[in-house]
């Protein structure tokens, strides 16, 4: 079974700090990786996509992918209380089904 | 960006009745749509994969006769919760991808179902 693992948290960081969220996946052939943010009672919102090894930056967000280690992370710089949410890692598996598999999510709290 | 519209956002129904939830992709064609259910403070649970023009694929443990899925066009999928019971109360979220295999899922805003 293809799995995506995340530390469920909760992760608490002070306002202005860097929040680091981690995700590992089991399917070595996976090619596409995504981070979603989900506020309580709302549906997930796509915040980052990454497809190749290395870093990808978008504003205060940086996604990091290491396919050799089967590891993808999300860094949030200058964390704000409004960043408090659950962050979901998602991976498109290899194979014809191209199924998107979600991790269970990491709950982040940014303390003012 | 890709937009997925889900309706209604909130519904309250009596036990034994049926509820239909619509999911539309507004600016792209979706051959595949996905239906998720989420209980409070729990992770997303994939219920079924809706395939345009063919039968939906249900995840293990999801009753296909209770959760009827129809995907009649490339922009519309519906989920009907039949003979709803209080334990069906949950947050139902649809999502869709465009035809590009590596594209991300885009989610609707979800439907909060309460069965009394």
């Amino acid at each position: 079974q293809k799995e995506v693992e995340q530390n469920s948290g909760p992760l608490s960081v002070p306002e202005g700090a860097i929040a680091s969220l981690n995700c590992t996946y089991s399917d070595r052939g996976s090619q596409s990786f995504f981070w979603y943010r989900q506020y309580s009672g709302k549906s997930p919102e796509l915040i980052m996509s990454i497809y190749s090894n290395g870093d990808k930056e978008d504003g205060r967000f940086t996604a990091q992918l290491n396919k050799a280690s089967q590891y993808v992370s999300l860094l949030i710089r200058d964390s704000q209380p409004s960043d408090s949410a659950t962050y979901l890692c998602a991976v498109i598996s290899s194979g014809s089904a191209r199924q998107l598999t979600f991790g269970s999510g990491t709950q982040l709290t940014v303390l003012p | 960006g890709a937009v997925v519209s889900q309706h209604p956002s909130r519904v309250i129904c009596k036990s034994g009745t049926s509820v239909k939830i619509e999911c539309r992709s507004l600016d792209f064609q979706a051959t595949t749509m996905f239906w998720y259910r989420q209980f409070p403070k729990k992770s997303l649970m994939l219920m079924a994969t809706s395939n345009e023009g063919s039968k939906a694929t249900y995840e293990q443990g999801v009753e296909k006769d209770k959760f009827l899925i129809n995907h009649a066009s490339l922009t519309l999928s519906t989920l009907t919760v039949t003979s709803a019971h209080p334990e069906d109360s949950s947050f139902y979220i649809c999502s869709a991808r465009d035809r590009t295999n590596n594209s991300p899922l885009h989610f609707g805003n979800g439907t909060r179902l309460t069965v009394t």
Side-chain angles (χ1 to χ4, degrees):
Chain A
Q1 180 162 342
K2 296 169 181 175
E3 296 181 347
V4 178
E5 301 282 346
Q6 290 182 255
N7 187 327
S8 63
L11 172 66
S12 295
V13 300
E15 184 174 356
I18 296 175
S20 177
L21 305 162
N22 305 315
C23 174
T24 58
Y25 58 95
S26 63
D27 180 10
R28 184 170 288 278
S30 299
Q31 296 295 321
S32 306
F33 308 86
F34 310 98
W35 283 99
Y36 289 82
R37 176 177 62 198
Q38 186 177 23
Y39 292 112
S40 180
K42 302 293 185 182
S43 65
E45 170 192 12
L46 179 69
I47 54 173
M48 289 288 284
S49 307
I50 187 166
Y51 303 97
S52 55
N53 278 329
D55 295 359
K56 179 182 177 182
E57 187 174 317
D58 183 0
R60 294 187 295 113
F61 298 101
T62 299
Q64 299 174 318
L65 175 61
N66 184 326
K67 291 184 179 180
S69 301
Q70 295 174 235
Y71 174 94
V72 58
S73 66
L74 179 70
L75 300 177
I76 306 174
R77 289 182 302 282
D78 189 23
S79 296
Q80 302 296 310
S82 59
D83 295 326
S84 298
T86 296
Y87 289 81
L88 300 165
C89 172
V91 176
I92 293 182
S93 61
S94 59
S96 59
R98 311 294 292 170
Q99 185 171 343
L100 187 72
T101 302
F102 283 91
S104 58
T106 298
Q107 185 180 340
L108 172 67
T109 301
V110 180
L111 303 170
Chain B
V3 177
V4 175
S5 174
Q6 186 173 343
H7 179 80
S9 59
R10 188 179 295 269
V11 59
I12 301 172
C13 70
K14 292 186 177 180
S15 187
T17 61
S18 296
V19 173
K20 180 186 283 189
I21 304 170
E22 290 189 351
C23 181
R24 294 180 185 272
S25 56
L26 296 186
D27 53 359
F28 65 99
Q29 292 182 328
T31 54
T32 307
M33 291 185 175
F34 303 88
W35 288 94
Y36 291 85
R37 179 168 54 184
Q38 188 174 37
F39 293 104
K41 300 189 184 300
K42 300 294 185 183
S43 61
L44 289 168
M45 286 177 46
L46 179 65
M47 297 176 65
T49 301
S50 170
N51 304 299
E52 187 267 336
S54 64
K55 291 183 179 180
T57 304
Y58 290 82
E59 296 299 302
Q60 191 173 6
V62 178
E63 299 175 58
K64 62 180 181 180
D65 294 330
K66 180 169 184 63
F67 298 100
L68 300 179
I69 290 173
N70 183 278
H71 194 156
S73 76
L74 286 171
T75 59
L76 174 64
S77 175
T78 61
L79 168 68
T80 301
V81 183
T82 63
S83 187
H85 289 108
E87 56 265 33
D88 297 325
S89 300
S90 188
F91 190 46
Y92 292 85
I93 313 173
C94 75
S95 64
R97 293 161 65 178
D98 69 22
R99 295 185 179 203
T100 306
N101 277 340
N102 286 332
S103 63
L105 277 181
H106 299 279
F107 287 88
N109 287 332
T111 297
R112 176 76 56 193
L113 171 63
T114 303
V115 184
T116 61

